[in-house]
Amino acid sequence: MPDEHRLEEQFISQEAEKIISEKLDGAEKIEIDVQTDLLKIVQGQADGVSVAGLGLVIQEDIRVQEIKLQTDSININPFSAIFGQIELNEPVNATARIILTEVDMNRALASDFVSSQMQSFDLDVDGTIVSFEAQKIEIFLPGDGKIECNGRVLLKEKGNTRLLAYTAIARPRTHSQPAMLESFNCTEGGGISLEVVTALMHKAKELMNIPYFKWEDMVFHIKDIKVETGSLVLLVETKIKQIPSY
């Protein structure tokens, strides 16, 4: 019987791998393990699902170097599960380890999809509204827990608009230390006032301390961030409502 159960797991897992692979724009490797057996399938249950992937490409320019995800026990649609389609009957908790490379992050930042998601933000500087509109962002990961950023923004202040280029060095929030902005320097555009710099520092701290990020209908809570040379490692928790459609 254990062997038969394992064959059932293998069949469902292989079908799930095929279906997910077809939804991705590309994948170097993807392995899905649905931990269940025939009786549990009939009852609409599974002990969990694990996903391990390398080089997953989503929406052409969005690439994840590596992901390892494990869910808790889940309730599934037994009829769809037989054909490898994991449809959730209710949300399920999951933990994931995600690795993003410097190259892939910059490719994503330059993509039309991410550019369309970039929003301007306003700062209240002593009663005057100063607006920033991101034009370009490039990230470097030199190691030692640091993230270096070069960028250009349109600065709108007191009816005037000008292009401002900057470089910044930051340390993201981890489980043992708060987010820190080590430096911010203007390289083009004539610089900005101390009052604007102070307001910008507060805004940067707020953004770096955001404990989660959203993708489709999932919210990823960031538990820890590790900056390595050339890559960023995220440890996250999420509640999955349904398998993404990509």
Side-chain angles (χ1 to χ4, degrees), residues 112-131:
D112 292 338
F113 174 75
V114 173
S115 295
S116 67
Q117 303 300 309
M118 289 184 180
Q119 298 180 348
S120 61
F121 61 88
D122 298 331
L123 297 178
D124 187 337
V125 183
D126 296 333
T128 299
I129 300 300
V130 179
S131 299

Side-chain angles (χ1 to χ4, degrees), residues 22 34 47 147 193 223:
E22 290 174 349
V34 182
D47 294 328
I147 297 177
S193 68
K223 306 304 294 182

Side-chain angles (χ1 to χ4, degrees), residues 189-241:
I192 52 180
S193 68
L194 181 60
E195 290 78 12
V196 174
V197 170
T198 301
L200 190 59
M201 292 289 187
H202 284 296
K203 183 65 175 182
K205 181 179 179 181
E206 175 187 322
L207 293 174
M208 288 191 298
N209 279 315
I210 291 176
Y212 63 88
F213 62 93
K214 293 183 179 180
W215 179 55
E216 292 202 351
D217 63 346
M218 292 188 293
V219 177
F220 293 86
H221 293 273
I222 302 172
K223 306 304 294 182
D224 197 16
I225 300 176
K226 184 177 181 181
V227 182
E228 300 179 344
T229 303
S231 64
L232 191 70
V233 182
L234 302 175
L235 299 179
V236 303
E237 293 179 350
T238 185
K239 184 179 288 292
I240 301 174
K241 295 181 180 180

